[in-house]
Amino acid sequence: MDLLLILTYTALCVAIFKIFNIPLNKWSVPTAVLGGVVLIGTLLLLMNYNHPFTPLARHVFVTTPIVPSVRGPVTEVPVQPNVLLKQGDVLFRIDDTRYREVVGEKTATVRAATADRDRTKGEYLRYKEGYDKGGAFTRSELDIREQLYLAAEAKLKARQAELTKAEYDLSETVVRAPTDGYVSQVALRPGMMAVPLPLRPVMVFINRQDSAFIGAFNQKSLLKIRKGFEAEVIFEAVPGRVFKADVSQVMPNIGEGQFQAQGTLFTTERFRLNGRAFVEVKVQDDLSQYDLPDGANAEIAVYSDTFTHVSIIRRVLLRMKSWQNYLFFEH
């Protein structure tokens, strides 16, 4: 664009010199050159300041590492790669033989504890009735029966909690999709051991959500970026097209400034990283027909509400960069 401005200005100067017969001397030529430098430089500075641009942008998406809650060999993996799933669809199954046996055992203990509770409760109520009627049983005998009843009640609650835990473990042998989405790469196979270790997920689930595009802008650009400002987005994968967007939010933090409680002190090297400000834009145009992969590269321009007439330069520049995406030299 700067070359286009220079050529346009040069052609305008040539026309003016020809039409008005201005002589070429040590005063007229430097004046024309200096005027061009000032004019074009001012336009470019106004454009960069008021209508920021970044080539560092990307479509971002949220993934969920799938970690089983129980341990066991995998018996079935019905999920297909890159096929959209609904929340609750089965991802894979773990051998549930041992867990079904545990549920059976815990169910038997709950039944025994229930019977014991009912028996001690009946004895307590009988002793209480006799004590209330006047001396059939002593207070100490009633207290003993009450303690036995309360102990049986507590034992029953403990057995019910164990049964609930066993039933939960059994249900977790069937691992389901946490939300709507898909699994892109399925390496899990029947016979592999699934282990509930957070650092060893067995697959990665990609959550289906609205498209979010994040651009990393120079921190100086924050002066002219606000929520609701107009933006435009181009993609390497869609050359020749510019998509309308709006700024949905300016991220309130920069990752290079974060710190956590740890056993080391800050070093000077940490402060050498300037970092960029993240800005999220929401594309207004329909992108479904382009089959863009999640994580696609993008470039974003934001148009502020000041010096709006200068934004035409940024718009032309963005479209020229989009046309350049038709050219690539991989071979």
Side-chain angles (χ1 to χ4, degrees):
M1 184 62 186
D2 51 352
L3 179 60
L4 181 62
L5 290 174
I6 293 173
L7 293 176
T8 302
Y9 179 78
T10 302
L12 182 62
C13 287
V14 170
I16 292 176
F17 273 69
K18 292 289 186 181
I19 293 174
F20 296 99
N21 293 321
I22 299 176
L24 300 178
N25 53 45
K26 64 179 182 178
W27 301 108
S28 61
V29 174
T31 300
V33 172
L34 182 60
V37 171
V38 172
L39 177 61
I40 295 175
T42 301
L43 288 175
L44 293 178
L45 287 174
L46 286 174
M47 177 197 69
N48 287 326
Y49 180 78
N50 293 281
H51 310 292
F53 164 81
T54 179
L56 305 177
R58 187 178 297 275
H59 171 242
V60 298
F61 56 97
V62 179
T63 63
T64 301
I66 303 299
V67 179
S69 299
V70 295
R71 177 189 180 95
V74 176
T75 58
E76 183 184 4
V77 187
V79 65
Q80 297 296 319
N82 304 313
V83 175
L84 188 62
L85 302 171
K86 295 294 185 180
Q87 182 177 5
D89 287 349
V90 176
L91 298 179
F92 61 93
R93 291 184 172 89
I94 298 173
D95 185 8
D96 64 353
T97 303
R98 179 166 62 92
Y99 298 98
R100 283 190 285 106
E101 292 175 353
V102 172
V103 169
E105 294 172 0
K106 298 303 180 183
T107 301
T109 60
V110 167
R111 290 173 180 170
T114 302
D116 185 52
R117 191 276 313 268
D118 293 341
R119 179 181 60 78
T120 55
K121 181 179 180 181
E123 289 183 356
Y124 167 70
L125 293 177
R126 181 167 61 84
Y127 272 69
K128 186 175 186 304
E129 182 180 0
Y131 176 80
D132 292 339
K133 286 183 177 180
F137 301 102
T138 64
R139 181 65 193 183
S140 61
E141 291 175 324
L142 177 62
D143 290 343
I144 292 174
R145 293 301 181 276
E146 183 179 10
Q147 293 300 321
L148 291 174
Y149 164 59
L150 293 177
E153 184 73 25
K155 182 178 180 180
L156 174 59
K157 290 181 180 180
R159 297 295 180 266
Q160 288 175 334
E162 292 174 356
L163 176 59
T164 301
K165 173 67 167 54
E167 290 175 339
Y168 172 78
D169 289 344
L170 178 60
S171 68
E172 289 299 296
T173 59
V174 180
V175 181
R176 302 180 181 276
T179 62
D180 293 349
Y182 64 94
V183 180
S184 182
Q185 302 170 6
V186 181
L188 190 65
R189 295 293 184 271
M192 293 182 177
M193 180 62 69
V195 182
L197 292 177
L199 298 180
R200 291 294 302 273
V202 296
M203 63 176 57
V204 176
F205 185 85
I206 300 174
N207 300 275
R208 176 54 58 193
Q209 58 183 10
D210 292 338
S211 296
F213 296 90
I214 304 293
F217 284 81
N218 190 299
Q219 294 184 38
K220 298 176 183 178
S221 300
L222 293 177
L223 294 169
K224 292 298 179 180
I225 299 180
R226 296 289 184 273
K227 180 179 179 180
F229 277 5
E230 180 188 359
E232 289 184 328
V233 182
I234 63 174
F235 302 96
E236 290 184 12
V238 190
R241 288 296 309 272
V242 177
F243 299 92
K244 293 183 179 180
D246 293 320
V247 176
S248 56
Q249 66 171 320
V250 179
M251 299 296 184
N253 43 56
I254 296 175
E256 282 75 6
Q258 67 177 323
F259 68 94
Q260 299 175 351
Q262 53 187 346
T264 58
L265 299 176
F266 286 148
T267 63
T268 306
E269 188 63 30
R270 186 178 183 90
F271 289 89
R272 296 183 188 276
L273 303 175
N274 291 331
R276 283 177 168 252
F278 285 178
V279 177
E280 179 182 347
V281 301
K282 186 173 182 60
V283 176
Q284 303 300 326
D285 295 330
D286 183 17
L287 297 175
S288 59
Q289 60 180 312
Y290 299 103
D291 295 327
L292 282 173
D294 293 333
N297 288 335
E299 299 180 48
I300 300 175
V302 175
Y303 305 111
S304 71
D305 54 0
T306 56
F307 287 93
T308 55
H309 56 282
V310 184
S311 67
I312 186 63
I313 303 176
R314 175 65 74 197
R315 295 177 190 274
V316 173
L317 271 176
L318 192 67
R319 281 152 179 80
M320 292 174 66
K321 288 183 68 67
S322 180
W323 298 334
Q324 289 175 6
N325 289 331
Y326 280 112
L327 305 176
F328 59 94
F329 303 98
E330 294 181 0
H331 59 278

